[in-house]
Amino acid sequence: MRALTLIADRQLEVVEMPPPPPPAAGEVQIRVGAVALNHIDVWGFRGMAFVKRKLPIVVGAEASGTIVAVGDGVTRFAPGQDVVMYGALTCGHCKACLEGRDNFCENVGGLVGFHVDGFARELLNMPERLVIPVPAGVSLRDAACAPIAFSTVQHMLFDNAKLQPGETILVHAGGSGIGTVAIMMAKAIGCTVITTVGDDSKIEGVKKLGADYVINYRTDRFEHETRKITKKKGVDVVFEHVGADTFNGSLLVMKRGGRLVTCGSTSGPTATINLMQLFQQQYRIFGSFGATMKNIAESLDKMAAGMLPVIDTEVSLDDVGSALKRMESRQVFGKIVVRF
């Protein structure tokens, strides 16, 4: 079977590898239908010094597929059923796992496609407990965007930041994969959405998604524009995933008691904080990593109800390297999906 494999930093190859054996007890075998790309794929592609891993490694951290076989004892799935897969090898028995806080697993065996072989291959076996059914009417292309993009936003906005209807939110990088989702989810509950983009060509797109105000951060300071839009009151929530370039400015645009939730640091991992500002303004800062399987199911339900991901491009396995370079350039609007 074909598998997209990283053999060295920035060197991807489609290789032939043996198919998996029949699924063992408690496992299902899945034929992958689509893989969605994320910044974690970019990080893995260009190499990260702090990650211990062995190359070659099959890439792909977010995917959908169809069940083709089930092992003994599997009761939740049958051949022909469309599914998505959880991207972390959680243990399933620690306190966090038993409480449904999958992304807090105390014995996680690695992130799929980053530490261990990923989803960008034709067939794979997965434990039944790490597989989530796709509702009727949701395509494999769209479902592939649920395990990371949609569920990460679901977890950030509603589990952590506790976004409420009628609040005002600043969404950074509104044209990114998770930025587009954050705009849609916030607008769906009646929030006022301010968003930033790095190119005027993205303005119309984010407005169609529901953004009320759009700031080109390359031509205007988002801090100044956001304060002006809110009449100096500030925003209730900042959806942060850019990192060092925007973090301190994000604190400046929050109202007293505002909440900042962050899941990324694409512009750099280090920032300084004015501690007096932090405690005097009573800010609440939430670090958010990944999501739970419940978040993925909630995301798929939103897709079934009509909230579909924005797809920038669809590419073949052979074109993934160029797609990752496109992501690095920040020219993407929405998600890139790899076809199988």
Side-chain angles (χ1 to χ4, degrees), residues 49-236:
F50 61 84
V51 176
K52 292 182 179 179
R53 59 181 181 169
K54 293 182 179 179
L55 298 181
I57 186 172
V58 178
V59 300
E62 182 179 39
S64 62
T66 303
I67 302 286
V68 294
V70 299
D72 291 342
V74 171
T75 59
R76 296 173 51 235
F77 299 103
Q81 190 168 1
D82 289 344
V83 295
V84 297
M85 297 77 83
Y86 194 64
L89 301 181
T90 58
C91 69
H93 55 72
C94 69
K95 184 174 184 292
C97 285
L98 294 175
E99 292 174 348
R101 298 182 298 119
D102 311 283
N103 52 335
F104 281 87
C105 175
E106 298 167 11
N107 308 294
V108 65
L111 300 181
V112 176
F114 200 60
H115 304 107
V116 297
D117 280 341
F119 295 128
R121 44 184 155 155
E122 292 182 306
L123 288 170
L124 74 154
N125 294 346
M126 288 287 290
E128 176 188 22
R129 64 181 181 82
L130 295 180
V131 177
I132 302 102
V134 173
V138 178
S139 69
L140 287 178
R141 184 197 72 171
D142 292 338
C145 302
I148 293 181
F150 262 64
S151 63
T152 293
V153 177
Q154 178 75 21
H155 185 53
M156 289 174 71
L157 292 186
F158 303 112
D159 292 348
N160 288 319
K162 308 290 186 186
L163 184 67
Q164 299 297 312
E167 290 190 312
T168 299
I169 180 172
L170 171 64
V171 176
H172 279 296
S176 64
I178 62 172
T180 54
V181 177
I183 292 170
M184 291 189 290
M185 286 192 181
K187 202 61 191 174
I189 64 169
C191 292
T192 297
V193 179
I194 305 168
T195 192
T196 64
V197 296
D199 193 305
D200 283 347
S201 64
K202 298 182 180 183
I203 292 176
E204 191 60 32
V206 294
K207 283 185 175 180
K208 287 181 179 178
L209 295 177
D212 298 285
Y213 303 94
V214 186
I215 304 164
N216 185 333
Y217 64 83
R218 297 190 188 277
T219 58
D220 296 294
R221 290 184 62 87
F222 77 85
E223 304 97 315
H224 173 77
E225 295 300 316
T226 301
R227 297 289 293 177
K228 185 165 65 174
I229 290 166
T230 61
K231 297 179 171 57
K232 298 184 179 181
K233 293 180 181 178
V235 300
D236 299 285

Side-chain angles (χ1 to χ4, degrees), residues 11 60 213 236 263 314 335:
Q11 292 186 43
Y213 303 94
D236 299 285
C263 74
E314 295 182 64
K335 295 281 288 184

